[in-house]
Amino acid sequence: MPTPTLLPIIAIFILLPLYGHGQNSGSKAPSCISPDTAALTLHFEQGQCHWEAQRTDSTDIHFQAALNVLDIYLDQATQSSDTVCWSQAWNTVFDFTSRLQEKSHLQYALKAIKNSVRYFERMPVSEPLALAYQEAGKIYGRFRFNEQALEYSFKALEVREAIGFSIDISEVYNTIAVTYSAMGDQGSARVYVEKALQEYIKWEGPESKRVLNAMNNIGYLYQKEGDTLQAGKYYSAALELSLKISGSKSSATANVLNNMASLLFDQQRHAEAIPLLKKGAKISEEELGVLHPFTCTYYLELGRNYTQLGQYDLAEPYLTKARNGRLFSLGLQHFMTGFAYLGLAEYYAAKGELPLALKYIDTTYQAILFDPDDKLSLADVSYFPLLIQALETEVRLLSEQELSQDMLQHSCKPCGTLAASIEYLHRNTYNAKASRAMRLKLKPTLNICVNTTASLYRQTGDLDAYNIALSISEWNKSVNLFSELKDLSQKEVYRVPDSLRVLEWKIKRQLNMLDREIQASTDPQIKAGLLDQQYAQQEALRSLKATYASQFAKYYEDRFQLGRDMAVERFQKLLFIREQSSQTILEYYIGDSSIFIFLIRKDEVDLISIPLTSDIDKVIANMQDGIYAYFLSARGQSSKPDIETLTRQYIHSAHVLYNQLIRPIEDRITEEPLIIPDEKLQFIPFGLLLSEAPKNIKNFVSYPYWIKDKKIGYAFSLRVLETQMLRANGPLSPKSMLAVAPSVPLSNLPYSKYSTSDGLTSESSFLLDNEEEAYAIASLWKGDVITGKEATKEAFCSLMPSYKLLHIATHGQSDTLWGEKSYLTFTASPKSKTNRLYVEDLLALRMNTEMVVLSACETANGQFLKGEGIISITRAFTHAGTKSAVTSIWPMENQLTSRLMLNFHKELKQGVNKSEALRNAKLNYLAETPGFQSHPFFWGGIIAIGDMSPID
């Protein structure tokens, strides 16, 4: 049974950083003070002996006596004005705490370190205080108390920055990186490891062991983010450096080989990984011994690779050695021990021994302090990546058993916990990229969860199972958009100043841009500057988070705690309150071999599973090409015979998709379906699906489009829709309507590109009649108009929050490589560097608008991010606060679009809802426009998305 890779590299380098700072274990007492060092050592050794004999009371007596001696010593040392005495006193503290490695010793280590912090705080900006904070962070980190580890590490960072930079600050960066990684935030961890690497190079040059370790760790973090190309690049550089400075038989080289083997494991190249691990194991045995936790890493990975190859007789001895060694050196409640138990669970699962596999999975949970019966214990988990992997293993294991009703119910439990874990991790990281990478890696397991919970729902009608499946489907759709909308709503509720919201947006935008530039940079000096900027922005974000925690505690608590479980009943109640009885929500989820359809009405829910009968992505691409390539052909860019071929391609694809997506449930869909598409289904308008092949392919008006039967709307996700619908009940903008028609010289308009599988592009229609369109529509609503020179970006941004309805007739341009760079064009202004309003600019704005109509090209198109959706202009307006939008998936002809838009507003003015108004406008267009211009390209790409309620 294939399973995801473990995390060996974090254990080898980042987790247990070198402690020394130049001191030696067992350092001598300061010459200026005469502590009872012999008594301290005696009590410590006796305490250790009693602990090994499990005599708890005696252990406590002796360790406490040792602490008392240490306390007297610290008091004497800090009375001295000699900083050498302070540093030597610190060495004694360090010697004591570094020997307390077992979790049961934690209370004594913490007492020692807290006492030293209390004493050394007498010297607020001093090396001993920095070391005390630093060691406190390490101790908490050693036993994976992550929040406390961060707290003390950042205190150490502040002191070190105050007293002046030295190489010791890099150890603080390292501890912070370890902790973020343990919390599952690999992106933030990478920022601090990069900073540590800079410091190592600065103080030690580019060829030191610590430089090597940092490069290795950066490779690991890229690997966990799913960027195998960058990971391989750093691993290769680390290996080259290790061979140069340490030789082929050093533990440093062995560790790099281990990490490269981990990458091979991810790629299922197990036979290639094994020789690397054997070589590393031999080196580690000779240098560290067979019971050392790092040596056990090689045993564990060897066992896991042999398990994947089905060579169980070779796997079992290695896995047992890994488990025994880590139990001996670390105890049970340590995440590295947890990994050893999970390796055994995978082994017994592969052999089909379910009881033993489940037993070892439960032991894995114990090792990281997780209670499977209590979701609130997620906050106490010591190592989140291991929890996710253990849940993933349990889900896969249970799915391979015969799915009786009892087994299905048992299988649903880890599915629900996995969904909750993803939410918890997403809420507690500012790094959206890392969160999405994790969801993508988990997609095969999440597909299993949807299939399992759907099966239980169909057998029993269990709504809990339905809601687990629905929550997983939602985690594949506009996750960041929903999170941002929810956060913005909470900021308003708790009166967080708008200045902080804008500041957070600026920081996140800068981090996003810097991450791209860093990966693309090949110049070391430029990259170093970019890394400095990235670190500064990361620190600014941390500072902002601290501001939220101290000044807006309730907001902070609500933002980062586990949210409400997904509940379809809650949404049904909302549909009932809004009196939307004719609306049917259809949320699609594309699995490995099935499409799942969540059908939701105010009085009914269902979950339908339909086997995939074709390569759906290919069919979607064929439908796109069939529509768009005809438009190119009509402009003389393709030969006439291709027109009929491409039209038939569209017809075939649209019919195949209708049979796959609509036919199985067509009798259950009311007159107003609201579609929540999944993955690349977002690129097609469902209204152009065909229930059958047309009799005359040249008569486009006669085609059996689904739009002829239904009033079709769309939503980004169910949670986004719920947010929009609830927001619509709040206070709206005071004025009725604003129409905007910028003046854009034709020479300034770039070509509009629409990507297809054949790489086809076309010239977009230029602005011709947008002013006439704006005046005509504004007159319907007795609204305001800004056109020509007045229609600048600055004017629009200042006016838009004041209106209930916005209509923008301009040029739009999507960017399929970087969605935040998609834009709308406004009249040039001397006050602005650009007349373009980018997606990234819209993300900083706020509005409370009922509807935005985007009479512009490609406003629903943009960068497609798997697991998130299309980063488009429409999405940006939704983020800014609009409840709904009318938008276009592809380029549009200006004059024809103006006619359709005017008809849409006329229908809307009659009091019908938005999806009905758009349907009527399209049907009117078809009735009035026979011949070539009735081709679906000219009208079919316009859709309505969001809350479909009528305009009041």
Side-chain angles (χ1 to χ4, degrees), residues 722-740:
E722 181 182 23
T723 303
Q724 291 176 297
M725 293 173 72
L726 289 171
R727 188 173 175 80
N729 289 330
L732 287 168
S733 304
K735 296 183 180 181
S736 63
M737 192 265 183
L738 175 67
V740 184

Side-chain angles (χ1 to χ4, degrees), residues 331-343:
L332 173 60
Q333 287 191 331
H334 194 286
F335 82 94
M336 292 177 75
T337 307
F339 273 123
Y341 275 106
L342 185 58

Side-chain angles (χ1 to χ4, degrees), residues 198 201 517-518 521-533:
Q198 283 185 298
I201 293 173
E517 292 177 0
I518 288 166
S521 176
T522 55
D523 186 300
Q525 287 189 329
I526 293 175
K527 185 173 182 179
L530 293 171
L531 288 169
D532 285 339
Q533 293 180 52

Side-chain angles (χ1 to χ4, degrees), residues 364-622:
T364 303
Y365 293 145
Q366 292 177 41
I368 55 173
L369 309 178
F370 175 64
D371 180 357
D373 296 319
D374 181 11
K375 287 182 183 178
L376 293 178
S377 70
L378 288 172
D380 301 322
V381 168
S382 63
Y383 205 82
F384 231 95
L386 177 54
L387 172 64
I388 296 292
Q389 190 172 327
L391 288 167
E392 190 176 9
T393 303
E394 186 175 8
V395 166
R396 288 177 175 274
L397 172 61
L398 293 172
S399 72
E400 294 174 354
Q401 311 308 311
E402 186 164 346
L403 294 179
S404 64
Q405 186 170 311
D406 287 344
M407 184 59 71
L408 279 173
Q409 288 177 328
H410 187 70
S411 300
C412 278
K413 185 177 176 181
C415 292
T417 306
L418 184 60
S421 300
I422 293 171
E423 178 182 0
Y424 182 84
L425 186 58
H426 181 79
R427 280 172 170 265
N428 283 275
T429 175
Y430 276 97
N431 191 294
K433 179 183 175 182
S435 174
R436 188 173 71 87
M438 176 198 65
R439 298 197 308 273
L440 289 178
K441 184 177 179 182
L442 288 173
K443 185 66 161 59
T445 306
L446 295 176
N447 289 344
I448 293 172
C449 287
V450 173
N451 190 58
T452 299
T453 50
S455 297
L456 181 61
Y457 173 75
R458 288 194 297 270
Q459 287 188 25
T460 66
D462 185 343
L463 273 182
D464 287 340
Y466 186 98
N467 284 324
I468 291 171
L470 183 58
S471 69
I472 293 170
S473 175
E474 287 285 293
W475 277 108
N476 205 47
K477 298 173 179 67
S478 301
V479 175
N480 293 326
L481 175 60
F482 167 70
S483 299
E484 292 289 339
L485 287 175
K486 189 174 187 303
D487 181 52
L488 290 168
S489 176
Q490 287 176 318
K491 281 184 168 74
E492 291 172 358
V493 169
Y494 295 115
R495 300 182 184 277
V496 176
D498 199 55
S499 59
L500 294 182
R501 176 189 65 80
V502 174
L503 175 61
E504 184 174 335
W505 164 77
K506 288 181 177 178
I507 295 171
K508 287 181 176 179
R509 182 181 69 168
Q510 191 69 10
L511 281 170
N512 184 35
M513 195 160 58
L514 286 167
D515 194 52
R516 285 174 173 266
E517 292 177 0
I518 288 166
Q519 291 197 41
S521 176
T522 55
D523 186 300
Q525 287 189 329
I526 293 175
K527 185 173 182 179
L530 293 171
L531 288 169
D532 285 339
Q533 293 180 52
Q534 184 186 48
Y535 173 74
Q537 293 299 321
Q538 185 74 26
E539 284 295 281
L541 195 58
R542 181 178 68 83
S543 176
L544 180 60
K545 187 175 179 180
T547 300
Y548 289 148
S550 62
Q551 298 182 24
F552 306 96
K554 185 60 179 171
Y555 158 74
Y556 180 83
E557 179 184 339
D558 282 358
R559 174 169 178 169
F560 295 104
Q561 71 180 1
L562 193 63
R564 292 185 298 176
D565 289 340
M566 190 75 208
V568 69
E569 307 95 314
R570 191 171 66 243
F571 190 79
Q572 285 183 288
K573 184 178 180 180
L574 181 58
L575 288 177
F576 180 82
I577 293 170
R578 298 291 296 277
E579 298 182 350
Q580 293 181 223
S581 58
S582 61
Q583 193 169 69
T584 302
I585 311 293
L586 298 175
E587 175 160 333
Y588 289 85
Y589 180 86
I590 301 175
D592 293 325
S593 57
S594 299
I595 293 180
F596 297 89
I597 306 174
F598 297 85
L599 185 148
I600 304 168
R601 294 204 293 266
K602 73 172 189 177
D603 56 356
E604 179 189 6
V605 299
D606 203 356
L607 177 50
I608 303 97
S609 174
I610 302 167
L612 276 170
T613 56
S614 58
D615 182 343
I616 196 163
D617 284 353
K618 184 177 180 180
V619 177
I620 291 168
N622 286 341

Side-chain angles (χ1 to χ4, degrees), residues 8 12 216 223 232 235-236 239 243 248-267 269-285 294-295 297-303 305-306 309 318:
I12 291 177
N216 220 1
Q223 184 181 345
Y235 288 159
S236 296
L239 181 60
L243 290 171
S248 60
K249 296 184 178 181
S250 68
S251 59
T253 298
N255 291 334
V256 181
L257 294 175
N258 176 74
N259 302 332
M260 298 179 86
S262 173
L263 197 58
L264 291 171
F265 188 102
D266 279 353
Q267 298 166 344
R269 296 160 63 184
H270 306 293
E272 296 174 59
I274 286 171
L276 301 181
L277 292 167
K278 283 186 173 180
K279 184 175 180 180
K282 184 178 180 180
I283 295 169
S284 192
E285 286 171 346
F294 296 167
T295 306
T297 296
Y298 300 100
Y299 298 154
L300 175 58
E301 291 304 298
L302 280 164
N305 277 281
Y306 279 125
L309 293 171
Y318 282 116

Side-chain angles (χ1 to χ4, degrees), residues 30-45:
S31 58
C32 49
I33 301 170
S34 300
D36 192 349
T37 310
L40 176 64
T41 303
L42 177 64
H43 285 302
F44 180 90
E45 291 177 351

